[in-house]
Amino acid sequence: MNIDTALKEAMTLEGALGAALVDYESGMSLGTLGGGQGLDLELAAAGNTEVVRAKMRTLASLAMDDVIEDILITLGRQYHLIRPLTSSKGTLFLYMALDRTRSNLALARHSLKRIESGLEV
């Protein structure tokens, strides 16, 4: 699936507020969908780029031979889920913002994994 289709698929999740595909080297969004008042996806994408970079540096500093599956940020009313894509897809991550009262975190994680596997960039 292409980027637009992948983001549309992500937005079908119960409680989805916004989704983005982001390059964590440049901090640029390749695509966004959703967001709105209170959730600027471009700003969130750029900010979460720093989160991904910091975690990648930490893994390298610890000489951990492992990969990040997900990074979860829990807020009072939202979940923010970051899924770095496999290295064959470059330096990209999927970002999802979810309404905490209406979403199923386990299902969201599973769905992002499925979307990643079908995504062609």
Side-chain angles (χ1 to χ4, degrees), residues 48 51 71-75 78-82 95:
N48 284 311
V51 172
I71 299 170
L72 172 64
I73 300 166
T74 58
L75 304 176
Q78 296 177 1
Y79 292 125
H80 289 223
L81 191 56
I82 300 167
Y95 166 70

Side-chain angles (χ1 to χ4, degrees), residues 54-105:
K55 193 60 189 171
M56 295 290 192
R57 282 192 308 270
T58 302
L59 285 178
S61 295
L62 295 170
M64 294 183 77
D65 185 25
D66 212 342
V67 296
I68 300 169
E69 285 187 5
D70 299 303
I71 299 170
L72 172 64
I73 300 166
T74 58
L75 304 176
R77 294 185 297 262
Q78 296 177 1
Y79 292 125
H80 289 223
L81 191 56
I82 300 167
R83 181 169 184 89
L85 304 187
T86 58
S87 60
S88 64
K89 292 189 168 104
T91 56
L92 304 177
F93 66 89
L94 280 167
Y95 166 70
M96 280 289 309
L98 302 156
D99 180 307
R100 191 169 173 159
T101 61
R102 298 184 306 123
S103 62
N104 179 320
L105 185 56

